[in-house]
Amino acid sequence: MKIRIKFRKYGVMKFIGHLDIMRYFQKAIRRAGIDICYSAGFSPHMIMSFASPLGVGLTSDGEYLDIEIGNELSSASAVHRLNAVMAEGVEVLSFRRIPDEKASNAMSLVAAADYEVRFRDPDVLPENYAKAWDSFCSQDAILITKKTKKGERELDLKPLLYQASLGQDADGAPVIFLRLSSGSADNVKPELVLEAFGAHAGFSLPEFALLIHRKELYANSGTTEEPHFVSLEALGEEF
Amino acid sequence: MTKSDTGKKLALSDEILLSIDKPARYLGNEINAVYKDKDQVDVRFCMCFPDVYEIGMSHLGIQILYDMFNQREDVWCERVYSPWVDLDRVLRERRIPLFALESQDPVRDFDFLGITLQYEMCYTNVLQVLDLSGIPLSAAERTWEDPIVIGGGPCAVNPEPLAEFFDLFYIGEGETSYFALIDAYKEVRETGGNRQEFLERAAGIPGIYVPSFYEISYHEDGTIASMEPVNPHAPRKVEKQVVADLTHTYYPKKPLVPFIKATQDRVVLEIQRGCIRGCRFCQAGMLYRPTRERSLKMLKEAALQMLESTGHEEISLSSLSSSDYSQLPELVNFLIDTFGNKGVNISLPSLRIDAFSLDVMGKVQDVRKSSLTFAPEAGSQRLRDVINKGLTEEVILEGAGQAFEGGWSKVKLYFMLGLPTETEEDQKGIAHLAEKIARRYYEIPKERRNGKCQITVSTSFFVPKPFTPFQWARMCTREEFLEKAHTVNAEIKEQLNRKSIRYNWHEADVTVLEGIFARGDRRVAKALRLAYEKGCLFDSWTEHFHNELWLAAFEEAGVDTDFYTTRKRELGEVFPWDFIDIGVTRKFLQREWERAHEGKVTPNCLAGCQGCGAARWHTGVCPGSTPADIQEGGEQA
Ligand code: SF4
C-alpha cells in the first residue's frame, strides 16, 4: 500500500538539511514500528521518496514523503505513533493512502508551492515598498537572468508566478505571499522573486535577509494553460 | 519572531548557523537527548569529547555516562564537543562563550566540566574547550565560580602532561565513583564550603586524583626523584576503578541519535571489557584487566531496546577481541535470527578469521564487497613472539585460504613498525606475508576466483604506552620510522604480486608527538600551551596538523623531546604514572618486558592465570571470581 506522509518542519530543525531529514525519517519509521517495505537485493533500503527538498534555513507546513507499507494500520494511529518518536521541530500532519500507479509519485507531481516570505529586518525595504510591489507585480514580464549549471539564461518569471500578494503580520511587519511554479520543470525559488523585486525597486537584499516559510505543495490537475492546483495531501485519503 | 521560528532556544544566531558547516553539530535536540529544568536540579554536569561532533557522538563511553548521570534526578548532564575551526573563529571574533548543546547555556555556568581523554592528539582541543568557555586554563587560577574540570578516559592513566589544566582526574571506569563525587560536591556546596574543601573531599574518593595535591622533584638527569602528596587528604596511590559486574550496571537503553551522520551511525553493543590476550604493546589490554563479560541475556535485551529506541539500521558488537566472548555463537545467531530479515545490518569487527566467523560473515555481509581483516602486528614469527601476539602465519594463511574459497577477495593487514628488537628482516617479513596471502589467492583456479585480489597493508608506528610491558622501550625517531616504511614499500614493489598489494603508512610526525605526551610528565605542559597559543588545534586531522608550530613550541618551552621518546629508560626509573595503581603490577610488566627480550610467549588468561595482579578484584576471567551468567541465575541452560 502506498502512503503519503505530510509533515511540518519548524524551530531548530530548519537547520537540518534534506539528506539528513531523509535519514531522520528512516530511523523514525523504524522507531515507530511502521511496517515499511524494502527494496530487494543484498543491502535493501526503504522504499521512500520525498516530494521536494527544502533548503537549510527554511521552515515548512507542507512537506511530503511517500512510502510503501505492508500491514494495515489506521491513519490516525500511524500519525500518533510517528509523532510519539519525533524530535521537536518535526510534526507529522497526515498519513494517507494514495493510488498505486507510478504517476502518483509525489516528486513527479509537484507543480507549485506556496511560500510566505518575511524580512529578518524589515528596514531593508525602501519606504515606498508597497507601491513598488504593486508596480513590480503589474509588469507584463519579469525578466531575470537565472544561473544554471550550464551558464546563465534569461527567464520570464511572470508566467511562473501564479499568485503574489503583500500583506502584514499581526505586528504590522510585511509578509509576502507567493505561489510559485515548482518541481522538476520550472522550479522557482522565492529568493529569486525577491531579488527581482529588489532590482525593480532599487534595493538589494543582504545575506540572510529573508525568513522563508513553505506553506504547501501542489499538483496540477488542470492543464498548463489553465492550471488547477490541489495539495499533495488532498490526493490521498485517510484510512 | 514568527510562529514557525519558535522552539528551543539557541546560543547561535541564524546568520551564524547558516554560514558555518553542518549547523546540526551545535543544536542539541537529538533523539534521546535529555532535557531537564535547570532550576530543578542541584548539579549541572557538562560532558565533553574534545573533538568534532561526529567523532564525539560516536563514543560509547560518553553515552554510558550521559545516561548514568541523567538517571539521577538531581543531576542534569549535557554535552559539548570541540567547535570545528569555522565556528571556533566566529566564537573568538564575536566573544560568544562556548555552550552546552541541550540548554545552550555557557559551559562556564556548569558545576562540572568532564573531559574524556581518548587520544593524546586531542590535547590542544582540551585547551580550546577551556579557553572558549572562558575558564582559566590553569587549575590554579580557577575560583569556586568556575566549573570543576575533571578528566577521564584511557589517557588519564598518565594525566601528568595535563595536570596543570585539570582540577581532578578520574582514573578508571566511570561507572563506579562518579556518584560519590557528585554527593561530596553537593554536600560541600550545601554546607557553604569552598573549592579547596571540595578538592580535599574528592581526594578521598577512590579513583579520584587531585594533581595540585602532589609535588614532583627531579634528578639531575631529568628523571623523577619523587612524587609526594603535599595535602593530608591526598593518598600516595590512586587506585584505578573497575566495574565488578558488567551485567548489572549502567548501559544506555536509549542512546543519542544525531541528525548528521556520525562516525558510528549504529547501535554499539559492548559485549565485554578487557582482553585475555596480553599483547605486550597494547595499553587497553592492560588497563581493562580483568576481562569481564556481559551476560548473554543482558546483551539480547539491550540489543532489542537500543534498536527500538534509536531506529538505527545497524548494530555492531564492540570489544577488544570479540572471538573470545564465551557465548559469541549464541549471541550472533540471536542477532541474525531476530534482525536479519528486518533490514538491520550486523557488523562484527575484531573477529578472528576461522570457520565460524567466515560462516556468520557470509550471512551478514556481501562477501564480494567486504574484506577480511588480520592484525598480525609484526612481520615475522620471531617478532610476533616478542610482542606476544599469538597469531601465526599458518593460521593467517589457513583463514585467508578458506575465505578465498568462500568468495572473498579483499584482505586488510595491520602491522606496527618500530617495535622493540625489530630488524630489517622483520620489516621485510610484512611484505613477504602479504605476498604469501596473494599467492594463496591465485592458487584458486581462475574460473572460481572473483577477479584480482586486493590486499591492503597498513602500518602504524609503534608508540610505547604507560602500563604496558613496553613502557620501558625506546621509541624510534621520525627518520627511523620513515626508513622502515620505505623498506617495506621497496620490498613490496620487488614482489611478483605487487599489483595486488597496496601499502599505506601512518604519518611519522604526529606519532612522535603522541609518544611525547603518552609518556610525558608535567614539564611538557608548557609546550602544549605554547603550541595551542600558536594555533595548533585538531592535531589528529592531517589537514590541521602543523608540525612546525609544535617544533617551535618545544624549542621555546625548552623541552627536549628525545628525553620522552628515544631515551633508554632504566628498569628502576620512576615513571610519571607510577602513582596510579592500575591493578596490573609493575613486577608483572617487568617480567613481560624481560620475556619479550627472550622471545618467550606468555599464555592468555584463559589458558592459565599469569598472576598479573588484577585478580584482586575477584571478577571476570580471574581465578576465584563468579562468571556473569551464574550471577544472572543460570539463564543460559
Ligand atoms: S590475574 Fe590472571 S586471569 Fe586475571 S587478568 Fe591477570 S593474568 Fe589474567
Side-chain angles (χ1 to χ4, degrees):
Chain A
M1 171 160 58
K2 280 196 171 179
I3 298 293
R4 176 158 302 150
I5 298 174
K6 181 181 190 180
F7 68 95
R8 173 167 107 79
K9 192 179 173 194
Y10 62 98
V12 305
M13 292 300 284
K14 74 177 177 185
F15 297 106
I16 309 299
H18 177 62
L19 288 176
D20 292 324
I21 286 290
M22 287 169 61
R23 282 173 11 90
Y24 166 81
F25 265 98
Q26 287 165 4
K27 292 184 198 287
I29 281 169
R30 290 175 166 286
R31 287 195 298 274
I34 306 273
D35 180 26
I36 190 169
C37 301
Y38 288 84
S39 66
F42 204 95
S43 43
H45 54 268
M46 288 183 175
I47 299 181
M48 174 186 280
S49 74
F50 280 71
S52 166
L54 185 70
V56 174
L58 278 66
T59 52
S60 174
D61 283 336
E63 293 303 292
Y64 291 93
L65 70 147
D66 291 353
I67 61 171
E68 248 180 84
I69 61 167
N71 69 353
E72 290 277 338
L73 81 171
S74 73
S75 293
S77 86
V79 169
H80 179 78
R81 269 155 73 171
L82 282 165
N83 280 331
V85 299
M86 286 291 121
E88 185 181 312
V90 181
E91 183 189 349
V92 171
L93 301 171
S94 69
F95 189 95
R96 295 183 170 193
R97 179 174 24 217
I98 50 168
D100 255 342
E101 62 266 23
K102 255 220 146 65
S104 64
N105 173 291
M107 196 184 322
S108 56
L109 283 176
V110 175
D114 283 353
Y115 294 96
E116 279 173 5
V117 182
R118 292 175 172 77
F119 299 86
R120 204 176 291 281
D121 172 13
D123 289 345
V124 299
L125 292 168
E127 229 167 90
N128 62 345
Y129 71 88
K131 255 180 113 176
W133 176 257
D134 286 342
S135 110
F136 172 70
C137 292
S138 58
Q139 298 172 96
D140 292 333
I142 303 175
L143 294 179
I144 58 147
T145 39
K146 192 177 178 182
K147 285 195 193 78
T148 63
K149 278 174 203 139
K150 288 176 206 130
E152 293 186 347
R153 72 177 168 117
E154 182 112 306
L155 181 76
D156 182 6
L157 279 184
K158 185 82 188 194
L160 307 175
L161 193 65
Y162 299 121
Q163 287 181 31
S165 61
L166 173 66
Q168 279 188 350
D169 255 350
D171 55 0
V175 187
I176 290 174
F177 172 82
L178 299 168
R179 177 167 296 174
L180 300 174
S181 169
S182 193
S184 46
D186 283 301
N187 195 45
V188 181
K189 290 188 171 169
E191 295 90 325
L192 209 59
V193 178
L194 269 295
E195 273 164 34
F197 172 48
H200 178 81
F203 70 97
S204 66
L205 289 167
E207 224 187 336
F208 315 120
L210 304 177
L211 289 166
I212 301 172
H213 180 65
R214 183 143 82 183
K215 296 286 288 178
E216 186 57 277
L217 288 173
Y218 299 95
N220 181 3
S221 68
T223 61
T224 318
E225 292 72 34
E226 273 187 51
H228 177 70
F229 295 117
V230 283
S231 75
L232 292 186
E233 182 183 33
L235 296 172
E237 51 184 27
E238 301 273 324
F239 61 100
Chain B
M1 281 277 116
T2 58
K3 176 171 160 275
S4 52
D5 237 26
T6 54
K8 289 201 169 88
K9 132 187 165 188
L10 291 177
L12 302 173
S13 67
D14 280 19
E15 290 92 325
I16 295 176
L17 285 165
L18 291 173
S19 45
I20 54 174
D21 196 25
K22 301 192 185 166
R25 288 166 172 163
Y26 313 107
L27 304 173
N29 195 44
E30 300 95 332
I31 295 299
N32 298 330
V34 177
Y35 284 81
K36 296 188 182 184
D37 179 349
K38 64 180 171 194
D39 298 325
Q40 300 296 313
V41 297
D42 299 324
V43 175
R44 299 185 68 186
F45 197 109
C46 189
M47 189 67 79
C48 169
F49 192 108
D51 204 329
V52 75
Y53 177 87
E54 295 91 307
I55 306 269
M57 274 297 273
S58 305
H59 187 250
L60 177 65
I62 294 243
Q63 298 247 15
I64 292 178
L65 294 181
Y66 182 77
D67 174 70
M68 178 185 92
F69 278 125
N70 281 320
Q71 286 188 21
R72 271 182 74 140
E73 263 178 31
D74 55 347
V75 179
W76 184 11
C77 178
E78 306 185 34
R79 293 158 297 137
V80 68
Y81 304 95
S82 274
W84 189 242
V85 290
D86 53 357
L87 182 63
D88 176 281
R89 205 173 308 126
V90 174
L91 295 182
R92 283 171 207 272
E93 275 168 18
R94 308 203 186 181
R95 299 181 181 282
I96 300 170
L98 186 61
F99 53 91
L101 294 188
E102 284 81 355
S103 64
Q104 302 269 314
D105 285 340
V107 173
R108 197 176 47 210
D109 296 348
F110 280 67
D111 297 291
F112 285 90
L113 170 59
I115 305 180
T116 184
L117 306 166
Q118 295 292 321
Y119 31 85
E120 291 81 2
M121 288 307 97
C122 71
Y123 286 1
T124 50
N125 283 67
V126 171
L127 300 190
Q128 175 213 28
V129 167
L130 292 173
D131 196 9
L132 291 178
S133 300
I135 299 170
L137 294 189
S138 291
E141 288 165 28
R142 290 181 201 139
T143 69
W144 204 203
E145 299 305 308
D146 292 304
I148 300 291
V149 181
I150 178 165
C155 290
V157 300
N158 179 21
E160 292 301 87
L162 294 173
E164 181 185 334
F165 311 113
F166 281 83
D167 302 300
L168 306 173
F169 287 97
Y170 185 116
I171 314 296
E173 297 170 349
E175 291 99 329
T176 65
S177 273
Y178 262 123
F179 283 1
L181 188 71
I182 299 280
D183 291 337
Y185 179 84
K186 274 177 68 174
E187 251 180 71
V188 175
R189 278 281 179 200
E190 276 157 19
T191 54
N194 60 30
R195 194 176 165 95
Q196 179 72 7
E197 279 171 59
F198 169 66
L199 295 180
E200 289 179 353
R201 282 285 301 273
I205 295 170
I208 303 294
Y209 166 52
V210 187
S212 60
F213 288 173
Y214 297 81
E215 249 174 45
I216 325 286
S217 59
Y218 300 92
H219 292 299
E220 218 155 277
D221 65 2
T223 58
I224 293 175
S226 72
M227 177 167 180
E228 293 296 328
V230 291
N231 183 297
H233 297 88
R236 194 156 273 284
K237 280 254 178 188
V238 179
E239 191 192 34
K240 175 192 82 170
Q241 295 302 293
V242 171
V243 178
D245 177 358
L246 275 177
T247 296
H248 301 97
T249 180
Y250 302 95
Y251 202 78
K253 308 279 182 315
K254 293 178 163 189
L256 290 147
V257 186
F259 295 114
I260 50 174
K261 207 169 161 61
T263 318
Q264 288 263 23
D265 181 31
R266 53 184 74 89
V267 163
V268 179
L269 199 59
E270 188 197 36
I271 58 176
Q272 59 187 351
R273 220 171 264 177
C275 176
I276 57 171
R277 303 268 147 195
C279 295
R280 291 176 179 136
F281 56 83
C282 178
Q283 192 184 34
M286 296 295 152
L287 296 189
Y288 296 106
R289 283 189 173 218
T291 303
R292 289 144 293 152
E293 298 192 338
R294 296 188 196 265
S295 83
L296 185 61
K297 179 161 171 263
M298 179 242 163
L299 292 173
K300 286 178 178 176
E301 283 169 10
L304 285 166
Q305 285 171 328
M306 290 194 296
L307 282 168
E308 194 181 300
S309 69
T310 58
H312 279 312
E313 40 284 290
E314 185 166 339
I315 182 165
S316 173
L317 301 188
S318 155
S319 83
L320 294 167
S321 167
S322 298
S323 296
D324 293 327
Y325 179 63
S326 64
Q327 298 180 76
L328 187 70
E330 291 86 341
L331 179 61
V332 169
N333 288 328
F334 167 80
L335 294 177
I336 294 174
D337 294 345
T338 317
F339 305 114
N341 55 0
K342 290 194 183 155
V344 175
N345 296 321
I346 298 163
S347 138
L348 306 165
S350 75
L351 277 193
R352 204 166 37 241
I353 305 299
D354 56 20
F356 166 75
S357 61
L358 289 174
D359 178 51
V360 296
M361 278 157 53
K363 286 184 198 154
V364 302
Q365 358 175 290
D366 187 343
V367 169
R368 282 163 307 145
K369 288 195 196 129
S370 61
S371 50
L372 300 169
T373 303
F374 294 97
E377 307 293 0
S380 71
Q381 196 56 48
R382 185 200 71 80
L383 192 53
R384 284 194 291 273
D385 288 346
V386 168
I387 63 177
N388 206 40
K389 182 87 199 184
L391 187 59
T392 63
E393 188 170 303
E394 294 73 62
V395 169
I396 295 170
L397 290 176
E398 172 64 30
Q402 280 180 25
F404 293 153
E405 301 279 354
W408 271 272
S409 58
K410 292 184 188 155
V411 180
K412 288 186 189 158
L413 297 170
Y414 291 96
F415 297 93
M416 271 185 288
L417 285 172
L419 288 162
T421 79
E422 180 192 274
T423 65
E424 204 177 307
E425 270 319 294
D426 301 317
Q427 294 150 25
K428 289 183 176 166
I430 293 174
H432 301 160
L433 183 57
E435 173 71 15
K436 283 179 197 158
I437 293 172
R439 289 197 183 164
R440 177 66 189 80
Y441 181 79
Y442 293 109
E443 277 170 19
I444 298 175
K446 206 168 185 167
E447 51 295 356
R448 285 205 288 120
R449 329 198 270 252
N450 173 15
K452 275 177 57 175
C453 72
Q454 292 174 40
I455 299 176
T456 309
V457 175
S458 303
T459 60
S460 60
F461 296 122
F462 169 62
V463 178
K465 293 276 165 112
F467 295 114
T468 65
F470 288 171
Q471 63 179 352
W472 286 274
R474 170 186 181 273
M475 187 170 147
C476 298
T477 63
R478 169 184 187 277
E479 290 69 27
E480 287 167 332
F481 278 139
L482 292 175
E483 201 188 308
K484 290 166 196 286
H486 293 143
T487 303
V488 176
N489 198 33
E491 192 70 8
I492 288 174
K493 294 284 166 309
E494 293 275 297
Q495 299 178 144
L496 189 66
N497 287 304
R498 58 185 168 270
K499 292 221 169 96
S500 301
I501 303 172
R502 264 198 21 219
Y503 177 46
N504 317 310
W505 63 92
H506 200 249
E507 273 171 77
D509 290 327
V510 80
T511 307
V512 170
L513 196 59
E514 187 186 329
I516 297 166
F517 287 108
R519 291 188 293 175
D521 55 32
R522 292 191 176 189
R523 293 167 297 183
V524 299
K526 195 172 168 194
L528 173 61
R529 189 194 277 250
L530 280 168
Y532 170 70
E533 284 166 1
K534 289 177 192 298
C536 291
L537 202 60
F538 289 105
D539 297 296
S540 58
W541 297 74
T542 314
E543 69 271 33
H544 293 292
F545 178 66
H546 298 295
N547 201 44
E548 65 301 339
L549 296 181
W550 275 104
L551 294 179
F554 284 118
E555 170 96 40
E556 214 175 305
V559 172
D560 171 16
T561 57
D562 291 348
F563 178 83
Y564 299 98
T565 52
T566 58
R567 178 173 62 89
K568 183 178 183 317
R569 286 156 165 85
E570 298 302 328
L571 274 181
E573 179 173 335
V574 176
F575 293 136
W577 52 91
D578 277 349
F579 73 96
I580 292 172
D581 173 7
I582 211 78
V584 173
T585 60
R586 185 160 166 144
K587 215 170 100 206
F588 173 78
L589 296 176
Q590 186 177 329
R591 190 165 78 219
E592 283 294 288
W593 173 235
E594 283 156 358
R595 285 172 71 87
H597 285 89
E598 295 158 15
K600 279 196 191 142
V601 171
T602 297
N604 70 53
C605 296
L606 272 183
C609 171
Q610 303 303 311
C612 76
R616 77 162 129 102
W617 282 301
H618 304 291
T619 179
V621 70
C622 303
S625 71
T626 326
D629 278 313
I630 295 172
Q631 294 168 5
E632 192 69 63
E635 47 82 26
Q636 59 165 317

